[in-house]
Amino acid sequence: MSTFAVNDGTEIYYKDWGTGQPIVFHHGWPLSSDDWDAQMMFFLQKGYRVIAHDRRGHGRSGQSSEGNNMETYASDIAELTEALNLKDAIHVGHSTGGGEVIRYAAKYGKGRIAKAVIISAVTPIMIQNESNPEGVPLSVFDEIRQGTGFNRAQYFYDFPTAFYGWNREGQTVQEGIKHNWWRQGMMGSVLAHYEGIKAFSESDFTEDLKSLDIPVLVLHGEDDQIVPYAQAPRAAKLLKNGKLISYPGFSHGMPTINAETINNDILAFIK
């Protein structure tokens, strides 16, 4: 087990396997680095060095009472990548992790990051406001806050159904994946998960996206019920060097249940 203490003393758990060009994976809310199993194994066998961390308050990392916000998430990554001396790295983020990748790349990544991939990402901004009238209403996030903060065990048990699109006609719940989602979520801090909802819903990545010169691959399922598909073309349009691939019928959880397709598209982009 590898851990690294960031500047406020919080211990960040991470996996670091293999050699070669590094690929750093950033997980979604409220999960952990274990959500990248299908990608870690795939890219390790392709000869890459694969690294994935548990975000503060998630998984096996320290459950700090402070810093459950996007600025600190990105700063934690900057400290970890510096400690591991990662250069020419590819950063891959899912959902909240996609926002984390973009904020890290814009603020800290110069000279260290070669390319980025954001999957089902919360960029450029999720919440509905005056500048984002097509966004998701605050009431939706308040419902997630209520379920997470005060009925977490049951709420997290039910959440994967829409996450993986199992509520669509002809789809069957994959019980092992559902239980693994619940396991990962319940490992983390209820406070970090509760406060993280504001981080993923209200953080505005517009200027971060505009500032990036590196190649960025944007992947999004067209049947995403968690982060609306409309986010993806908006994010891609803001990038100087962005490429969008959309997937008809794919859900928010496509890196897990459609891993073969996603992995091969990422591999082609990296190469």
Side-chain angles (χ1 to χ4, degrees), residues 83-216:
L84 297 178
N85 195 28
L86 302 182
K87 296 177 180 177
D88 193 35
I90 297 104
H91 284 254
V92 180
H94 177 241
S95 196
T96 299
E100 183 178 276
V101 166
I102 294 301
R103 181 60 51 84
Y104 163 77
K107 194 166 184 178
Y108 303 103
K110 190 172 183 180
R112 290 192 178 274
I113 184 169
K115 294 182 178 181
V117 181
I118 56 174
I119 307 170
S120 314
V122 297
T123 53
I125 182 172
M126 282 193 72
I127 199 164
Q128 184 183 75
N129 56 28
E130 288 184 6
S131 60
N132 186 35
E134 297 179 355
V136 179
L138 175 63
S139 59
V140 173
F141 301 112
D142 284 342
E143 185 272 333
I144 299 172
R145 261 184 280 270
Q146 181 65 26
T148 296
F150 304 99
N151 189 27
R152 186 170 65 143
Q154 187 61 50
Y155 191 74
F156 280 8
Y157 190 76
D158 296 334
F159 201 88
T161 300
F163 192 96
Y164 294 111
W166 293 327
N167 54 353
R168 299 307 196 201
E169 186 177 354
Q171 298 298 312
T172 302
V173 174
Q174 297 179 53
E175 293 293 343
I177 292 173
K178 179 178 181 177
H179 292 165
N180 189 42
W181 198 102
W182 184 88
R183 174 192 68 84
Q184 291 180 69
M186 294 304 294
M187 286 171 67
S189 157
V190 65
L191 176 63
H193 292 161
Y194 182 89
E195 294 184 343
I197 295 161
K198 182 179 177 70
F200 75 66
S201 65
E202 298 185 33
S203 296
D204 189 341
F205 303 95
T206 302
E207 297 305 317
D208 302 286
L209 291 160
K210 288 180 179 178
S211 73
L212 294 179
D213 295 314
I214 59 169
V216 180

Side-chain angles (χ1 to χ4, degrees), residues 42-43 46 48 262-271:
F42 177 86
F43 287 100
K46 296 294 182 183
Y48 292 92
I262 301 304
N263 292 350
N264 281 303
D265 284 344
I266 295 172
L267 181 63
F269 172 73
I270 290 172
K271 286 185 171 181

